[in-house]
Amino acid sequence: MTSSGPADQRVAGTLCLPRGHATTVQLLIPGGFYGQAYWRMRGDRQHPSYMETMTAAGYATLAIDRLGTGASSYPPSARFGQDTHQIVISQLIRQLREGRLDGGRFAKIVLVGHSLGSTLARTVAAAHPAEVDGVILTGESSVPNEAAFEQMGTGIYRAADDPRFAGRGLDDGYLTTRPGLRATWFYHQPNADPKVIAADEATKTTDVFPPGDSYTPPAINKHIQAPVLIVNGEHDKLLAGARSSAALRAQEAPFYGPRAKLETVVVPGTGHVLNGHRTAPHWFAQARKWADRRVGGAAR
């Protein structure tokens, strides 16, 4: 949990391997109050999830529960440092490259994040540019809607006060979303299946946010040396600014260098939780084409 501390916590994850030998793995990092199940969501229940899409395309995927979420360890919240989540991701990258997770050695690593997971992905990619071969950022941009985040914050409370987590002995640093918050803030409901929203609510998780600002300023993005794809929803209430792919690129391009080869997608009719909308297959397909073109290494 710190750069020099003991390795005494466990991170849960699901490693999916395609047929054949993939040399590229996508490390999937969920956002706040979400675990690895986010990457198995089917916003369109007739089509595959993100994990299924990428595995079928020949890429290995590792979806994780960050510490303090899902099936991972729940250490005292005071043990979390400002860089704990980044340190954990860096350890996972090393283990994937060294073949320590039962999937063989991977030559290329793509970090794929959602919301807070995107902040973590670009922070790690900027701090360790030689270790990352591609970055996909969703549900995050250089222009967060600060007023919306402040308003949404009133719908977050102690996990110990939630019936789902009461009795687990979690300290006051563990938080979760109040019932109904997800539908209100994370979805563009005209384009979301009510059953998917209900399942999202039923599988919510806790989270820990260390002291300080969890949003890394976009100035660090200049240090990213790998190709970058940014994907956001047209109706994301937590983001301000661009509402078209071209406008998003114009907004974000000043923060990236030429090696990022920045590409952007704004998905119409979609809110913050991209994977939970009926439009999810649209961005999955674009991410697959981007990975083929900019990174490669899929099993064939």
Side-chain angles (χ1 to χ4, degrees):
M1 301 182 70
T2 62
S3 58
S4 59
D8 58 356
Q9 304 297 315
R10 296 180 63 85
V11 171
T14 301
L15 178 65
C16 290
L17 302 174
R19 291 186 176 90
H21 176 63
T23 59
T24 296
V25 60
Q26 298 189 14
L27 176 52
L28 313 181
I29 311 166
F33 307 113
Y34 281 87
Q36 59 177 295
Y38 176 75
W39 303 103
R40 294 194 294 270
M41 289 180 73
R42 290 181 170 186
D44 182 336
R45 291 186 291 157
Q46 304 304 312
H47 289 83
S49 67
Y50 185 89
M51 290 183 72
E52 292 167 328
T53 298
M54 290 301 171
T55 304
Y59 293 99
T61 59
L62 174 62
I64 63 167
D65 292 325
R66 290 176 291 101
L67 288 180
T69 72
S72 290
S73 297
Y74 288 74
S77 62
R79 287 195 59 191
F80 284 80
Q82 188 62 38
D83 58 353
T84 290
H85 292 306
Q86 293 95 312
I87 288 170
V88 171
I89 292 167
S90 295
Q91 292 177 63
L92 292 170
I93 289 173
R94 288 197 300 273
Q95 292 181 8
L96 287 165
R97 288 197 182 277
E98 294 169 2
R100 293 163 55 192
L101 298 180
D102 296 331
R105 295 173 180 265
F106 294 100
K108 295 182 179 181
I109 308 288
V110 177
L111 298 182
V112 186
H114 175 254
S115 196
L116 172 60
S118 291
T119 301
L120 298 173
R122 63 182 177 82
T123 302
V124 171
H128 307 283
E131 294 299 315
V132 178
D133 300 283
V135 185
I136 300 177
L137 308 174
T138 72
E140 194 227 41
S141 79
S142 64
V143 191
N145 186 335
E146 302 288 356
F149 271 102
E150 184 175 349
Q151 187 176 354
M152 185 191 70
T154 63
I156 296 171
Y157 66 158
R158 298 188 317 157
D161 294 333
D162 191 293
R164 181 167 302 145
F165 307 111
R168 292 182 54 173
L170 299 176
D171 65 50
D172 289 352
Y174 278 85
L175 306 174
T176 195
T177 53
R178 293 182 185 274
L181 178 145
R182 297 161 110 81
T184 300
W185 284 101
F186 296 165
Y187 286 88
H188 180 58
Q189 295 192 47
N191 213 3
D193 185 332
K195 291 183 178 179
V196 172
I197 299 176
D200 184 351
E201 183 70 38
T203 57
K204 71 178 181 180
T205 186
T206 59
D207 222 320
V208 174
F209 302 95
D213 189 356
S214 61
Y215 178 75
T216 305
I220 68 160
N221 298 354
K222 288 281 190 182
H223 298 291
I224 298 174
Q225 300 298 303
V228 176
L229 172 67
I230 302 176
V231 185
N232 288 327
E234 177 189 17
H235 299 288
D236 192 328
K237 297 176 183 178
L238 300 180
L239 302 180
R243 288 292 181 265
S244 72
S245 298
L248 181 60
R249 192 185 189 288
Q251 172 184 290
E252 299 301 317
F255 297 103
Y256 291 89
R259 297 188 67 176
K261 301 175 183 177
L262 181 65
E263 297 183 40
T264 56
V265 175
V266 169
V267 185
T270 304
H272 185 63
V273 176
L274 285 87
N275 292 8
H277 287 75
R278 294 187 179 96
T279 54
H282 171 77
W283 92 263
F284 295 170
Q286 298 213 41
R288 172 189 174 175
K289 292 177 183 176
W290 174 89
D292 289 344
R293 186 175 64 254
R294 295 298 192 190
V295 183
R300 300 300 185 193

